Amino acid sequence: QVQLVESGGGSVQAGGSLRLSCAASAVSVSRYSMAWFRQAPGKEREGVATIGGTSGRTYYAGSVKGRFTISKDSAKNTLYLQMNSLKPEDTAMYYCASHFTASRGTVLDAAAFTHWGQGTQVTVSS
């Protein structure tokens, strides 16, 4: 059974940094496309970044490009999201996702991913 467990969230001031981790079980980060999404209260879940399984190609939402970096460690079977220059508008619950299906949407569409973690909260204060 696929399990995705996020960690690393917390509270930080604007301009600060956090690194999120997603420990994966029963799914290989080397083979499957993995992604980070976020959802703020009252808003839809939005794609933040995706990394290809075998290609390792990365994709970013425009709002985080140049500030966030998605990466993975195949030996640890873990996905990461390095977040720098954080802004208050980055405040949200952040989720890890796996099992991208192209027929269901694009690489930053929540509907295109079928397995999800429980989320980790990121709060950025001004």
Side-chain angles (χ1 to χ4, degrees), residues 68-88:
F68 291 11
T69 303
I70 189 171
S71 63
K72 59 186 177 180
D73 184 329
S74 298
K76 295 182 178 180
N77 208 35
T78 299
L79 180 73
Y80 300 101
L81 184 69
Q82 178 66 44
M83 305 186 295
N84 298 329
S85 302
L86 282 161
K87 304 176 181 180

Side-chain angles (χ1 to χ4, degrees), residues 35 37 45-47 50 100 104-113 116:
F37 287 79
R45 191 167 296 191
E46 64 170 340
T50 298
F100 168 72
R104 297 167 65 100
T106 70
V107 294
L108 291 176
D109 281 343
F113 291 82
W116 295 85

Side-chain angles (χ1 to χ4, degrees), residues 18-39:
L18 284 173
R19 188 177 82 154
L20 306 183
S21 299
C22 172
S25 329
V27 56
S28 170
V29 301
S30 298
R31 292 186 57 198
Y32 288 86
S33 293
M34 307 284 294
W36 288 99
F37 287 79
R38 66 186 182 186
Q39 188 167 19

Side-chain angles (χ1 to χ4, degrees), residues 5-6 8 33-34 44 48 57 64 67-68 71 77 81 85 89 94-95 101-103 111 113 120 125:
V5 180
E6 302 95 334
S33 293
M34 307 284 294
E44 290 189 359
V48 174
R57 185 173 177 179
V64 306
R67 299 188 297 122
F68 291 11
S71 63
N77 208 35
L81 184 69
S85 302
E89 51 263 43
Y94 282 71
Y95 298 91
T101 303
S103 61
F113 291 82
T120 186
S125 58

